[in-house]
Amino acid sequence: MKLASLILALNAGSVAAFQSSTLPPLERKTTVVRFGYVPDGFTKESYAKFKEEEAKKKQKKNLGRVGPKGFQSRSFQSFQEALERGEATHLLPVLNAKERVKKGELKWEDIPYMQRGGNWDNSDVKGAKKVKWLQSDKEYASGGFKKEQSVSIFGKGDGLDWTGQKSRQGPQPVSVPLKKNYKPPNIKDIKNNDGKEEKPKKKGFFGLF
């Protein structure tokens, strides 16, 4: 009897081991952690202000424009007009410009605007004498510069169609005004007055005479 009861107990334990037990559902808590990059030497507020100032500087520079970005130049037409009037001269680079300015040998506006990274009319230098604007300068600054801007290798017009997606346009036909009684030429017009075709003249030595 003891042996039989022991066998039954072992069988009951093995069956219970293979049975699936139901566990209570686990509660999962999700937390969102947000991090912000702040460089050394900045606080969160000072770094945000710094990024705002940098964004404003980029807008003023207009990095997507065509042409030089380190200085503001005038049109070649305006420069030529001012040159003929004696109001402009050819600008040459100045050696040791910053050192000469510190020594008092030169003023900041004496450095060519392209070298100092300024404007052609000296408007970037406080207290400097401003260069007179011509009418062509005003037209150029009010939007006329866009007509002269081109990324073409020819200096004007549309750039080359590298992608092959631009519209195709062939040569434009030349319209010639015709008279009312105009008649197109025919074979009779090629002949002489006698109605005979004109024979080509024979050429002499090597076809030159």
Side-chain angles (χ1 to χ4, degrees):
M1 291 293 293
K2 291 182 178 180
L3 181 60
S5 60
L6 181 60
I7 294 172
L8 289 175
L10 292 173
N11 290 335
S14 62
V15 172
F18 286 102
Q19 290 179 350
S20 61
S21 60
T22 58
L23 298 175
L26 297 175
E27 295 182 0
R28 296 182 178 179
K29 296 181 179 180
T30 58
T31 57
V32 179
V33 180
R34 297 179 180 178
F35 297 94
Y37 171 74
V38 178
D40 293 338
F42 284 95
T43 62
K44 184 179 179 180
E45 292 75 14
S46 62
Y47 185 55
K49 185 178 180 180
F50 173 77
K51 290 193 295 183
E52 184 179 356
E53 292 176 354
E54 289 295 314
K56 291 180 180 179
K57 290 180 181 178
K58 288 182 179 180
Q59 290 179 356
K60 291 181 180 180
K61 289 182 178 179
N62 190 12
L63 298 176
R65 70 179 184 180
V66 178
K69 302 175 180 63
F71 54 87
Q72 183 179 359
S73 183
R74 70 196 307 188
S75 66
F76 183 76
Q77 177 184 351
S78 300
F79 171 74
Q80 190 67 28
E81 291 178 4
L83 189 66
E84 293 175 355
R85 294 185 180 188
E87 300 174 358
T89 58
H90 293 283
L91 302 177
L92 299 176
V94 178
L95 298 177
N96 304 322
K98 293 183 179 179
E99 289 77 3
R100 295 178 65 182
V101 170
K102 290 181 181 179
K103 293 179 181 179
E105 298 177 2
L106 288 176
K107 294 182 180 179
W108 190 248
E109 59 266 26
D110 295 332
I111 304 174
Y113 68 92
M114 290 179 283
Q115 184 177 355
R116 69 171 185 261
N119 302 334
W120 66 269
D121 60 350
N122 292 334
S123 59
D124 59 301
V125 182
K126 187 176 181 180
K129 183 180 179 181
K130 304 297 185 295
V131 181
K132 181 182 177 182
W133 279 48
L134 303 178
Q135 182 62 30
S136 55
D137 288 315
K138 298 177 182 179
E139 295 174 356
Y140 184 77
S142 62
F145 65 93
K146 294 182 180 179
K147 298 178 181 179
E148 299 185 13
Q149 285 185 343
S150 175
V151 295
S152 173
I153 61 174
F154 303 109
K156 62 180 180 179
D158 296 333
L160 296 178
D161 187 11
W162 301 107
T163 61
Q165 297 179 356
K166 292 185 178 181
S167 59
R168 296 292 183 268
Q169 185 176 2
Q172 298 296 323
V174 180
S175 58
V176 180
L178 302 176
K179 297 180 180 180
K180 294 182 179 180
N181 299 329
Y182 171 78
K183 293 182 180 180
N186 50 35
I187 192 64
K188 293 181 179 180
D189 297 330
I190 303 176
K191 297 179 180 180
N192 295 329
N193 296 333
D194 300 336
K196 297 180 181 181
E197 294 184 5
E198 184 178 359
K199 296 180 181 180
K201 298 180 180 179
K202 294 183 180 181
K203 294 183 179 180
F205 184 69
F206 290 109
L208 299 177
F209 305 100

